[in-house]
Amino acid sequence: MSSRAAHHLRGCYPRALRATSALYMSSRFPSRCALPSTGRPVVFSQKKNWQSPRLQQFSASALHAAETKTICVPPMAESISEGVLATFNRQVGDFVEQDEEVASIETDKIDVAVNTSHSGTITKLLVNEGDTVTVGQAIVEINLEERNATSQSSSPPPQVEQASGSPEKATPRLQASIWEARSIPSQKPRKEITSVSTPTPLATPESVPNSQGPVSAFQGSRSETKVKMSRMRLRTAERLKESQNTAAFLTTFNEVDMSQVMMFRSQNKDDVLQKHGVKLGFMGPVARASALALREIPAINASIENEDTIVFRDYIDLSVAVATPKGLVTPVLRNMESRSIVEIEQGIAELGKKARDGKLTMDDLTGGSFTISNSGIWGSLFGTPIINIPQTAVLGIYGIQQRPVAIDGQVEVRPMMYTALTYDHRLVDGREAVTFLTLVKKYLENPASMLIA
């Protein structure tokens, strides 16, 4: 064979082999190969940002390991270093924004909110509800890239670019498998709640009414429920017992004719509500009368320090006893001596709302030189309040009731209210306590006298 013939065969063989291979690939993988008129196989290109499900899962796990942050217990106060984690507001799998509250910690005095420092998805709760936690302890783990990974996993499947002159498309089976792997996000298993109908129990002879009279609907039970005391309740109990063991308790009573105060309130409550946005109640006049009386009896606004030192104050910080579902708290209204009746009402309303919403801070609860406890809102007639140590006295006011009283030798029905002052007899003498209650009575029975005091 001549050299020219041999060269011709060597040039033709690869071309024939390539054509045969293209035909074979076209029959086996029609979505990847085609044989146009040129006789050369064409491989369809795909989008470069598409990854296989396995590779995508690997990338998400790598991001999870690299972008994990922990949320710790924030500083609470100088005197508070630990608390009980009361509730988690978010659970594993929830996405949280920056500065969003994820947990609440119950301390001896206030509830502390735990906010996130970053946005991300919660991947782990490091403690349980009811556990004792300390300042700086990690309680929640979040993944900063979880939302991005989720959005990528839910992106549509890759589109195959068709070459001109080739009508073939991806096989339906391949399209379905790609769509399942890429577009279906992971979901948490849902708990199915099925209602089970139980047969109605037959009536017992005791529950069947008879002709002798109706039967009570209450069914007695011997069950018991034990609930652990909250830290706030434990702290309150500790403080109250400490007060009883420390102070020399004594209580004195008086009664006040509230006719003039009620008339003053009815004449001005609408104007006060319209101008100042606060309801005019009875705490404002009582607090104002107490402030004026404390000016004249400074020992009741004082306290004992180090067992042998008396601290007299030139200011009056009023502690207002507020009952909340978690226990009794006493937020402080400062500089009460310089406030008007309306300003006192506004301050008390703000403190009461913060107490009910659990938004009190340590600044709201620290201090206080005198306490007023209003038990009349629940219908109490009178009582003996307990001193909020290290204070020296507490004034209790109670329900207003219509009672017959002697007025200028005549019996009249007036709205009367009992007042009680519990004081520490180590510092306050009986004469001073009685004088204080008498002054409060004088100011309340003649509200105009508070304007010139």
Side-chain angles (χ1 to χ4, degrees), residues 382-412:
F382 61 85
T384 56
I386 298 179
I387 298 172
N388 182 21
I389 58 171
Q391 298 176 16
T392 299
V394 52
L395 174 66
I397 59 176
Y398 302 93
I400 301 174
Q401 294 184 344
Q402 297 287 337
R403 292 199 299 270
V405 293
I407 305 295
D408 296 331
Q410 302 292 326
V411 176
E412 297 184 14

Side-chain angles (χ1 to χ4, degrees), residues 261-278:
V261 173
M262 294 180 68
M263 184 182 301
F264 167 79
R265 177 176 178 271
S266 62
Q267 292 174 351
N268 298 279
K269 64 178 181 179
D270 294 336
D271 293 338
V272 171
L273 181 61
Q274 182 178 0
K275 294 180 180 179
H276 304 281
V278 64

Side-chain angles (χ1 to χ4, degrees), residues 170-191:
T171 60
R173 180 176 299 178
L174 181 60
Q175 286 182 339
S177 63
I178 295 175
W179 183 263
E180 287 182 6
R182 297 294 304 276
S183 63
I184 300 178
S186 60
Q187 296 181 353
K188 295 181 181 179
R190 297 183 179 178
K191 297 182 178 179

Side-chain angles (χ1 to χ4, degrees), residues 14-25:
R15 184 180 303 171
L17 181 60
R18 287 196 298 269
T20 305
S21 301
L23 288 173
Y24 174 76
M25 294 295 291

Side-chain angles (χ1 to χ4, degrees), residues 232-233 236 240 320-330 373 378:
M232 184 179 295
R233 175 61 64 182
T236 301
L240 293 177
V320 183
V322 179
T324 67
K326 294 184 178 181
L328 184 70
V329 294
T330 52
S373 176
W378 300 299

Side-chain angles (χ1 to χ4, degrees), residues 63-82:
L63 286 174
H64 178 275
E67 298 296 337
T68 296
K69 297 291 184 180
T70 56
I71 307 302
C72 301
V73 178
M76 293 178 281
E78 294 182 358
S79 60
I80 300 177
S81 59
E82 66 177 19

Side-chain angles (χ1 to χ4, degrees), residues 11-285:
C12 294
Y13 178 74
R15 184 180 303 171
L17 181 60
R18 287 196 298 269
T20 305
S21 301
L23 288 173
Y24 174 76
M25 294 295 291
S26 176
S27 63
R28 292 296 302 272
F29 305 100
S31 62
R32 300 291 302 272
C33 302
L35 188 62
S37 58
T38 59
R40 295 181 180 178
V42 178
V43 179
F44 301 127
S45 62
Q46 298 177 351
K47 291 185 177 180
K48 295 181 180 180
N49 62 348
W50 179 78
Q51 296 176 345
S52 66
R54 181 182 296 274
L55 182 58
Q56 196 173 51
Q57 182 178 2
F58 173 78
S59 301
S61 61
L63 286 174
H64 178 275
E67 298 296 337
T68 296
K69 297 291 184 180
T70 56
I71 307 302
C72 301
V73 178
M76 293 178 281
E78 294 182 358
S79 60
I80 300 177
S81 59
E82 66 177 19
V84 174
L85 198 144
T87 56
F88 277 112
N89 300 330
R90 296 289 184 268
Q91 298 299 323
V92 174
D94 294 344
F95 186 85
V96 292
E97 300 289 349
Q98 186 176 1
D99 295 330
E100 183 177 349
E101 182 177 341
V102 294
S104 176
I105 298 176
E106 183 182 89
T107 68
D108 299 342
K109 299 179 180 179
I110 60 174
D111 289 347
V112 178
V114 181
N115 299 328
T116 59
S117 56
H118 303 80
S119 299
T121 300
I122 297 178
T123 57
K124 187 181 297 184
L125 302 180
L126 304 178
V127 296
N128 298 319
E129 292 184 355
D131 290 352
T132 300
V133 295
T134 58
V135 174
Q137 179 179 348
I139 60 174
V140 176
E141 184 180 278
I142 65 173
N143 183 357
L144 305 186
E145 300 294 338
E146 189 66 21
R147 168 170 280 188
N148 295 334
T150 303
S151 62
Q152 290 178 2
S153 64
S154 61
S155 59
Q159 302 294 330
V160 179
E161 297 178 3
Q162 300 292 338
S164 59
S166 177
E168 288 85 5
K169 297 182 180 179
T171 60
R173 180 176 299 178
L174 181 60
Q175 286 182 339
S177 63
I178 295 175
W179 183 263
E180 287 182 6
R182 297 294 304 276
S183 63
I184 300 178
S186 60
Q187 296 181 353
K188 295 181 181 179
R190 297 183 179 178
K191 297 182 178 179
E192 295 185 358
I193 302 176
T194 58
S195 60
V196 180
S197 60
T198 57
T200 304
L202 297 176
T204 59
E206 291 80 1
S207 62
V208 177
N210 52 41
S211 59
Q212 296 180 357
V215 178
S216 173
F218 174 77
Q219 299 295 328
S221 173
R222 300 285 297 174
S223 63
E224 296 179 348
T225 303
K226 295 183 179 180
V227 180
K228 189 176 181 180
M229 294 177 67
S230 64
R231 295 181 66 91
M232 184 179 295
R233 175 61 64 182
L234 286 171
R235 181 59 175 167
T236 301
E238 178 184 342
R239 295 273 296 175
L240 293 177
K241 192 58 183 175
E242 181 183 358
S243 177
Q244 284 188 327
N245 295 337
T246 302
F249 274 58
L250 189 59
T251 304
T252 184
F253 300 92
N254 208 330
E255 62 178 356
V256 179
D257 184 354
M258 298 292 288
S259 300
Q260 296 298 319
V261 173
M262 294 180 68
M263 184 182 301
F264 167 79
R265 177 176 178 271
S266 62
Q267 292 174 351
N268 298 279
K269 64 178 181 179
D270 294 336
D271 293 338
V272 171
L273 181 61
Q274 182 178 0
K275 294 180 180 179
H276 304 281
V278 64
K279 294 181 179 180
L280 182 60
F282 297 105
M283 278 293 293

Side-chain angles (χ1 to χ4, degrees), residues 309-331:
T309 304
I310 302 176
V311 179
F312 291 95
R313 301 179 177 88
D314 296 330
Y315 58 88
I316 302 172
D317 288 349
L318 174 65
S319 298
V320 183
V322 179
T324 67
K326 294 184 178 181
L328 184 70
V329 294
T330 52

